[in-house]
Amino acid sequence: MYTRIVIGIDGSELATKALRHALTLARESHARLFVVTVTEPSVLISPGAEIMAINTGEIIAELEAAKASSAKATLDEAQALAKEFGQTIEPIHVPSSVAADALLDTAKAQGADLIVMGSHGRRGLGRLLLGSQAAEVLARSTIPVLVVK
């Protein structure tokens, strides 16, 4: 049914639950599984910056290195879980991006026919304040999206 599946993970328990679903679906469909983790752009906000000078390049580089290390650990955990399932995955780290954009772009680039992702299913003010990457992917995707709660 599916041949190329993209799943977004962030190292959370919910993402691991979604990954388990995707691994099972990929195994049953004999599909390739692209496991994507995204790190957002680094932003520095410093009130009163007009009176001080800081080498932000060094700070940003350190932040990016820490996020890359975290992304690698997240993908390594996904590979270990895939191995338990007797599966292989294709790990992808998308740096300096918004999760929804990265998942949609990766799905298009890989020719995916399904996107899998976890969602807490927040509604109302909680969703407004926290945002919902799953809702954004659902609204913009041209291919099926499986949301695991």
Side-chain angles (χ1 to χ4, degrees):
M1 179 172 203
Y2 299 110
T3 60
R4 300 169 79 81
I5 301 170
V6 167
I7 176 167
I9 63 169
D10 61 6
S12 69
E13 188 175 319
L14 182 58
T16 300
K17 182 178 178 182
L19 178 57
R20 289 178 183 277
H21 279 273
L23 285 163
T24 300
L25 189 56
R27 180 176 57 217
E28 292 174 2
S29 300
H30 304 287
R32 289 175 65 185
L33 186 58
F34 302 90
V35 179
V36 181
T37 194
V38 181
T39 50
E40 294 191 356
S42 296
V43 177
L44 293 178
I45 300 173
S46 178
E50 66 276 358
I51 60 170
M52 66 177 136
I54 299 173
N55 180 357
T56 56
E58 188 176 309
I59 295 169
I60 298 275
E62 288 176 13
L63 286 170
E64 292 301 321
K67 290 190 291 185
S69 176
S70 177
K72 181 182 181 322
T74 298
L75 292 170
D76 287 348
E77 288 174 15
Q79 285 186 317
L81 183 59
K83 190 173 182 178
E84 289 177 27
F85 275 70
Q87 296 284 97
T88 59
I89 63 168
E90 299 182 43
I92 300 171
H93 171 217
V94 180
S96 297
S97 184
V98 175
D101 293 341
L103 288 174
L104 292 165
D105 291 346
T106 300
K108 184 176 182 180
Q110 299 301 333
D113 44 19
L114 178 69
I115 298 172
V116 178
M117 60 190 309
S119 175
H120 290 285
R122 291 187 178 96
R123 297 171 47 145
L125 185 59
R127 177 171 167 226
L128 178 65
L129 293 175
L130 298 172
S132 174
Q133 296 302 301
E136 185 71 18
V137 170
L138 282 167
R140 295 174 40 206
S141 181
T142 58
I143 61 173
V145 178
L146 172 62
V147 179
V148 178
K149 289 173 68 174

